[in-house]
Amino acid sequence: MVFRILKYLGLMVFVAFFSSCSTDVDFSGFVRSTDRVEDRFVQSMQWNESHPFQTIQGGTNYQILLAADTHIGGTENLSYLKKLYNDGNYKGMVIIGDIVSGKEEDYQLYIDSLADVTKPIFSIVGNHDLYFEGWKYFYKYLGSSTYYFTVEANNNQKDLFICLDSGGGTLGKSQIDWLENLLDEKRSNHRHIIVLSHVNILRTRRTTSATPMTEEVIYLLDLFARYGVDYVITGHYHVQDEAIFGNTKYLILDALKDENPDAGYAVLNVAENSVEHEFVRF
Amino acid sequence: MWKKTILTLVLFILSGVSYLSVAQVTLKTFTTIGTNPIQKPVYTNVGVFSSARYGSYYITYAFDFNLMQRDVHPFNAIYADMGYNFNIKAKLATIEANFLYKPSTALVNELNWGAQFKYNLRHWKFCLGTNFKSFRLNKDYTNTLSDKTVRVINERPSMTYRIQYFLNDRTKDKCKKYNLSFMLTNMDWFVIQQETNPFVGTGFYYNFQELDLTLFTQVFYETAGFNNIRVNYFGFYVKGGVSWYLEY
């Protein structure tokens, strides 16, 4: 009986491992990470010291373009988004993780694809970006994975956009402390707060990808409710979803990658007394 | 808070009295010490379990208390289950329904309902089930909301599982004084993780057979991001306690 169960378990692992063998997935990540979220946070803070957090002039009402899971290779959808960004009146664009599969040539392709964009682009790290020792290339080409940027509205009002590193499935102790201190320090003098991170916090859909551990989910739900965060925007799951908990909206974006038949992006419309989103599919 | 504490005590006493009329009772008490990025630098809890068996049926209730934040967060969790034992090929099988409530923070609490099937072999224990988890905002915060329906968020049902191997035969007449176990699971007493967040553990058990008493200690190692194929250390915890089997 036991032997039979072990045999089937072994067979399942074997099939799962080899049937999904792909050059874009680093299976060593099941058992080890070449980088740790704590190490990435230390390096990100070093980067932040020499690269001040950006401030964008927004006006009272403005729009931010959001996309996730580009998974380069292909850059067709990204090029479309770039044109939209260049031609439109968007004040910023954020790519919320899984930009590439961790390989240096894909990071270079991403940089080259967006080379002619003159407006600010903010890149967030996802789990795929860390495969194949991808962190060193993310850091080399894109820099910090934990930072914020500010959009200045009229009448001395400003909005805070916080970009977090959840590529390892957890924010880690240091980043959590940084986030709480930041919210504590900045909440009172900012009009809206938007948090952007790759891995989904809530598990409102059936999915095989991991959300943070329950203790961390509850802590973040409490933190975002306590500080009146307006939006928490993630990618990772590849299919759009939205949920509301208290005064905070939790969004999941469609994957932008070329192979996705429902590829899409989102537009964040920020106004005097409201923040609203709009999902757009190609 | 006081109302909840009094209700808990009343339930505890009532069920204790009712236990006198049943045949077998197992009492368990243990301390948990652990660390993770949230409960820092360490957390220390004390749990008490009480389980009564009558024929093939049993009922369990348990409480977990927080020793590190007694002033702000004294009560960590309440757990209850009820189950039915039967045999499959002369091996013990169980179906069980369970409930776990955790007033995790001042604003947010966690509620779990689930059902499980357990199967015991001489060296192995298997457990497979499903869990319904929801997060809820507290009453004070909810009163500030114009739309009260957004105070609860339900997660999709999640699979619960445990595969546990015991070094020594667990059959009562062959039971040795000590045993060692290794397990892969996404749940523990007072902890139910999502199916995509497995963790590993090991346990050591020492039986005082003449007293029906077992001393045990367990160590669990938790990682995040396993199913994202990007594991990161999350935390670990150690449990130590005693289990006492009483037969009237």
Side-chain angles (χ1 to χ4, degrees):
Chain A
M1 174 71 181
V2 173
F3 178 73
R4 201 182 301 164
I5 291 167
L6 283 174
K7 191 172 74 177
Y8 285 126
L9 275 174
L11 193 64
M12 281 164 62
V13 170
F14 182 83
V15 169
F17 192 88
F18 287 102
S19 66
S20 58
C21 256
S22 155
T23 53
D24 289 339
V25 179
D26 178 8
F27 288 102
S28 67
F30 275 125
V31 288
R32 72 183 182 98
S33 287
T34 47
D35 52 81
R36 298 279 178 134
V37 64
E38 292 292 332
D39 300 332
R40 296 199 300 274
F41 178 79
V42 169
Q43 285 182 270
S44 293
M45 291 301 113
Q46 286 166 354
W47 175 278
N48 293 343
E49 280 175 20
S50 54
H51 299 79
F53 299 118
Q54 291 190 49
T55 300
I56 302 169
Q57 297 303 320
T60 306
N61 303 333
Y62 62 91
Q63 291 182 310
I64 300 284
L65 208 49
L66 304 165
D69 297 275
T70 49
H71 291 273
I72 290 168
T75 56
E76 197 180 318
N77 289 347
L78 183 66
S79 299
Y80 176 86
L81 197 73
K82 179 181 74 173
K83 187 173 183 320
L84 199 71
Y85 186 41
N86 275 335
D87 297 347
N89 193 28
Y90 304 101
K91 299 297 178 186
M93 181 164 85
V94 190
I95 309 291
I96 309 174
D98 280 5
I99 299 164
V100 298
S101 58
K103 294 173 184 165
E104 185 170 18
E105 59 266 30
D106 291 335
Y107 276 110
Q108 285 170 334
L109 188 56
Y110 174 66
I111 295 292
D112 293 344
S113 301
L114 300 174
D116 54 338
V117 178
T118 52
K119 294 192 278 188
I121 297 172
F122 301 94
S123 303
I124 291 173
V125 77
N127 53 310
H128 280 257
D129 301 313
L130 300 172
Y131 292 171
F132 306 109
E133 303 190 19
W135 166 245
K136 64 182 176 193
Y137 304 120
F138 186 97
Y139 193 69
K140 178 181 172 183
Y141 293 106
L142 301 168
S144 174
S145 63
T146 304
Y147 57 94
Y148 65 84
F149 63 92
T150 307
V151 181
E152 284 190 342
N154 293 338
N155 307 323
N156 289 329
Q157 290 182 314
K158 50 191 175 178
D159 304 322
L160 187 67
F161 289 74
I162 303 171
C163 302
L164 300 175
D165 176 348
S166 58
T170 175
L171 296 181
K173 181 181 177 300
S174 303
Q175 192 174 205
I176 282 170
D177 289 344
W178 178 86
L179 174 63
E180 183 155 2
N181 288 335
L182 184 70
L183 287 169
D184 199 37
E185 182 190 329
K186 304 270 184 191
R187 183 62 190 106
S188 58
N189 55 6
H190 285 78
R191 185 177 62 169
H192 302 300
I193 304 275
I194 288 96
V195 172
L196 306 126
S197 186
H198 179 67
V199 168
N200 314 138
I201 290 167
L202 292 169
R203 200 180 166 76
T204 47
R205 290 263 184 94
R206 177 157 284 286
T207 171
T208 53
S209 55
T211 46
M213 304 290 270
T214 303
E215 294 90 334
E216 190 166 325
V217 171
I218 290 172
Y219 175 85
L220 293 173
L221 292 175
D222 176 278
L223 190 71
F224 297 150
R226 201 157 18 111
Y227 285 97
V229 169
D230 297 87
Y231 266 83
V232 176
I233 304 171
T234 58
H236 196 47
Y237 178 60
H238 288 201
V239 182
Q240 64 177 247
D241 193 26
E242 57 183 283
I244 306 174
F245 188 59
N247 290 317
T248 308
K249 275 188 185 165
Y250 292 81
L251 290 194
I252 300 174
L253 303 188
D254 285 317
L256 188 75
K257 70 175 181 177
D258 291 355
E259 297 81 12
N260 182 10
D262 292 320
Y265 58 95
V267 177
L268 201 65
N269 299 303
V270 184
E272 176 71 32
N273 294 315
S274 68
V275 186
E276 288 174 355
H277 70 278
E278 181 189 346
F279 287 120
V280 183
R281 279 183 167 156
F282 289 116
Chain B
M1 184 66 208
W2 278 111
K3 281 182 187 171
K4 282 182 186 171
T5 309
I6 289 166
L7 182 67
T8 304
L9 283 172
V10 169
L11 282 173
F12 197 84
I13 291 163
L14 283 178
S15 52
V17 170
S18 67
Y19 275 13
L20 296 176
S21 63
V22 298
Q24 294 140 329
V25 173
T26 302
L27 300 172
K28 212 177 278 177
T29 181
F30 55 91
T31 300
T32 308
I33 301 171
T35 182
N36 63 43
I38 310 304
Q39 293 150 299
K40 51 212 170 193
V42 292
Y43 59 93
T44 308
N45 300 342
V46 169
V48 284
F49 254 78
S50 176
S51 184
R53 207 173 96 190
Y54 186 77
S56 296
Y57 296 91
Y58 66 86
I59 183 166
T60 304
Y61 64 87
F63 304 93
D64 199 34
F65 299 94
N66 193 334
L67 293 187
M68 296 295 281
Q69 298 176 317
R70 278 172 296 179
D71 298 336
V72 290
H73 185 206
F75 185 61
N76 187 45
I78 180 168
Y79 171 87
D81 67 40
M82 56 194 303
Y84 174 71
N85 292 327
F86 57 102
N87 284 340
I88 298 176
K89 291 189 177 178
K91 299 287 188 294
L92 178 66
T94 305
I95 48 171
E96 180 185 284
N98 52 36
F99 163 85
L100 174 66
Y101 170 74
K102 296 178 81 171
S104 307
T105 71
L107 282 186
V108 183
N109 60 61
E110 176 195 342
L111 194 67
N112 295 273
W113 291 96
Q116 288 171 23
F117 170 74
K118 297 175 181 174
Y119 191 56
N120 290 272
L121 300 172
R122 286 185 306 167
H123 290 274
W124 291 86
K125 187 174 183 177
F126 300 99
C127 182
L128 188 66
T130 190
N131 183 61
F132 299 84
K133 188 190 286 288
S134 61
F135 302 109
R136 289 151 193 270
L137 287 160
N138 75 7
K139 208 172 172 181
D140 291 342
Y141 188 94
T142 306
N143 288 337
T144 68
L145 300 171
S146 52
D147 177 7
K148 309 288 186 222
T149 60
V150 296
R151 72 174 286 257
V152 179
I153 197 123
N154 296 310
E155 291 209 326
R156 292 288 298 174
S158 183
M159 188 170 67
T160 51
Y161 49 86
R162 175 178 284 219
I163 303 168
Q164 191 168 10
Y165 174 76
F166 290 88
L167 195 64
N168 291 323
D169 194 332
R170 293 187 299 146
T171 318
K172 196 161 187 180
D173 55 341
K174 293 178 184 170
C175 190
K176 289 189 176 176
K177 269 193 174 301
Y178 71 91
N179 211 338
L180 195 64
S181 81
F182 305 93
M183 63 199 112
L184 173 74
T185 183
N186 69 336
M187 61 180 173
D188 192 20
W189 304 329
F190 310 120
V191 176
I192 300 175
Q193 299 290 357
Q194 299 88 342
E195 66 201 6
T196 48
N197 285 324
F199 53 97
V200 291
T202 182
F204 178 77
Y205 313 86
Y206 191 87
N207 297 316
F208 295 91
Q209 281 157 337
E210 61 282 7
L211 296 172
D212 281 327
L213 204 71
T214 304
L215 293 179
F216 63 89
T217 181
Q218 294 175 323
V219 183
F220 290 89
Y221 177 77
E222 300 171 301
T223 58
F226 177 80
N227 264 42
N228 298 340
I229 323 181
R230 204 65 203 162
V231 292
N232 255 254
Y233 164 76
F234 183 75
F236 72 93
Y237 62 92
V238 182
K239 274 192 317 213
V242 59
S243 175
W244 190 21
Y245 177 75
L246 300 165
E247 194 163 358
Y248 292 106

